[in-house]
Amino acid sequence: MDDDGQGEQQAAAGTPVPPVPGQILSRFAVFILTFLAFLCHWLSVPPVGWFPVVFLTPVLWSVLCLLPSSRSYYRQAWLGALCFWLLVTRWVGFPHPATILGYLALSVYLACYFPIYLLMVRRLLAWRIPLLLAVPVPFLCVEYLRKHIFGGFSFASMEHAFYRHPILIQLADLPGGEYLVGLMILLVGTALGLLAREMVSSQKTRPGIAFLLLCVIGSVLGVALGYGYVRLHQWPVAESESGSRLHIALLQDATTFRFPVDSETNLEIHRSYMALSQKASHFAADNGFTLDLIVWPEGCFAAPHYDVTEDGFFPGPDETPLAERIRSSREVVDRERDDFFTLSRQLQSPLVLGIGSAIYDHRGEGAYYNSALFVREPDLLRYDKMHLVMFGEYLPFADQLPDWFPLKTLCVSVRPGREPVVFPLTSGEKRARVLVNICFESSSSRFIRRQVQYLRARNEEPDLLLNLSNDGWFRHCSQVDWHLATCVFRAVENRKPMLSAVHGGLSAWIDPAGRIRRQLDRRDTNFLIAEPCVK
């Protein structure tokens, strides 16, 4: 007796019929396809890096969008996306056990975007929009929201699969930036899915449709590769254009740590960077050049930077006369400035220091910032980070949470800066304007472009971009690769050299074409000499 006959007899007798494998696959088809699509996505980006596999993700999405609707359709899609984001964002839970709450919340939140995307695609298909357009366009809309709401989350995007293949990402300098590279992936992948469907269809293959799809694939890839070839040749590896070649030392220590960081660990890291600074300075002297800049990563200078506003003062005994408190506070600030200038003279180079700042006002109340301090006598300039990190530098709805809430006790409350700041480098005949961004600010395409445009309007357009980061919380995982990928795209989008000094790695020098010219390994404690050419 065959299986169907046995099933009918069991059903007639009232015995439950176990589902056969085909029924299981059919019941969970949405989850399986979603999981496989995001698996291809994960395999295409670091740490695996099989970049061609990224085109299979929209292939599977095109199949998924054509499946019949069911009560569990969107729930299964959400669960499949959740598996991906739980894998991708696991580093959020590394700094402290309490940050696991942030990790879970972030994964649940990010997984919600995929069912919304499917709903949009299926709505477009119901309006008889061709699948070739219905798959890519809503995804770009959803990606835009993901990268902007709550400060945005830009890591592990599909376009990051190509960050070590610069010929495929030159489209990013056009309006739309990195989204154009994502659109290229989606168009090619969707056309491949339609072509495969046409070839395996039970009906007779339509040569005209197949040829049209091949033309779409060839045209999109041809435009991307052709444009990439032209743009890469405008920035040759051996830069011969007239201009000044700078020598900038990017420092990197590989120490990993967790919250809370004790003062002794901070001092050890500070001493390590001091030794690296001296080592870089000696290396430059031994090789016959001077360093135009030494860069410390985010938050790695142990002593905080103190300053006071006009008539501002440090808190102290109330019985001290106000004028005396203002005068003594100014003396402390002046002594600290002299200490920074002394360090710059000892190292024979200007400095950019990743440092915490405390600025006190006329009421003796302090405002705290995550800052980059430019030290070049007689200048002491400061950029305060503007784009803060959720769960690290601010906590959503913190005022409504009790004081004992774990993330609230760990989250360092800092204020956002007001505007971008250019650090002017001058060394002999060399002139350059440096625009600094801190930590995950480099992951936001719109943020960096707006800074550049703002400064261009003030006739202060920067010559190069500099990122200071501290990724030592994340155990050298694939997060550091994704962070580097965002820096590559910022270099291409703005056509400027991008330098990154990252505690824990990966520190790198990236040219305006998005080529990684030099890079330190994630576990290196060393320095890198970047030599960007600026006009």
Side-chain angles (χ1 to χ4, degrees), residues 152-410:
F153 187 89
S154 301
F155 292 144
S157 298
M158 284 198 294
E159 56 268 21
H160 293 166
F162 297 147
Y163 87 101
R164 290 191 180 272
H165 306 277
I167 195 170
L168 290 166
I169 64 174
Q170 300 306 306
L171 293 169
D173 73 340
L174 298 172
E178 63 184 350
Y179 297 101
L180 285 181
V181 181
L183 178 61
M184 179 264 291
I185 295 170
L186 288 158
L187 284 173
V188 171
T190 306
L192 284 172
L194 290 171
L195 181 62
R197 182 182 174 210
E198 188 70 24
M199 300 298 290
V200 302
S201 174
S202 59
Q203 301 176 356
K204 185 178 180 181
T205 302
R206 296 168 291 181
I209 299 297
F211 177 75
L212 179 61
L213 292 171
L214 287 173
C215 287
V216 170
I217 295 168
S219 298
V220 173
L221 286 177
V223 168
L225 293 171
Y227 186 79
Y229 178 84
V230 171
R231 297 299 264 169
L232 283 176
H233 280 71
Q234 292 179 349
W235 280 275
V237 174
E239 295 171 286
S240 58
E241 68 267 26
S242 61
S244 302
R245 187 173 294 279
L246 303 174
H247 295 91
I248 299 176
L250 308 175
L251 311 183
Q252 174 183 301
D253 182 271
T255 304
T256 59
F257 41 75
R258 303 180 72 188
F259 281 121
V261 183
D262 59 85
S263 58
E264 184 57 34
T265 300
N266 276 334
L267 287 175
E268 288 178 5
I269 292 173
H270 180 95
R271 287 191 287 264
S272 174
Y273 280 104
M274 188 64 69
L276 287 172
S277 299
Q278 294 168 346
K279 184 179 177 181
S281 182
H282 294 154
F283 176 85
D286 293 343
N287 287 272
F289 62 88
T290 59
L291 287 175
D292 299 299
L293 190 64
I294 296 176
V295 183
W296 290 42
E298 173 194 15
C300 291
F301 198 88
H305 166 56
Y306 294 107
D307 203 350
V308 290
T309 61
E310 186 177 358
D311 295 333
F313 57 89
F314 299 140
D318 293 337
E319 61 271 14
T320 305
L322 180 59
E324 175 63 22
R325 294 165 74 176
I326 293 174
R327 185 186 62 80
S328 61
S329 298
R330 176 52 61 187
E331 289 177 352
V332 171
V333 170
D334 290 341
R335 284 198 299 270
E336 185 195 58
R337 288 173 62 90
D338 291 339
D339 290 340
F340 284 125
F341 294 148
T342 299
L343 177 60
S344 178
R345 288 194 296 270
Q346 290 174 348
L347 296 173
Q348 301 178 7
S349 171
L351 307 171
V352 170
L353 305 174
I355 195 169
S357 295
I359 315 300
Y360 291 86
D361 61 17
H362 63 282
R363 295 168 296 183
E365 297 179 356
Y368 305 98
Y369 300 93
N370 185 357
S371 303
L373 194 67
F374 177 62
V375 182
R376 188 202 60 186
E377 197 169 5
D379 297 322
L380 196 66
L381 304 178
R382 190 183 84 245
Y383 167 69
D384 299 323
K385 185 180 180 186
M386 302 170 63
H387 192 68
L388 302 183
V389 175
M390 188 190 304
F391 304 128
E393 292 162 324
Y394 80 95
L395 187 65
F397 315 112
D399 294 339
Q400 283 71 46
L401 297 173
D403 292 337
W404 53 263
F405 188 74
L407 286 179
K408 189 172 183 178
T409 60
L410 288 173

Side-chain angles (χ1 to χ4, degrees), residues 484-504:
L484 177 60
T486 66
C487 290
V488 169
F489 274 86
R490 301 301 84 81
V492 175
E493 288 167 349
N494 297 282
R495 290 303 178 191
K496 300 184 185 301
M498 179 74 166
L499 313 181
S500 61
V502 186
H503 180 83

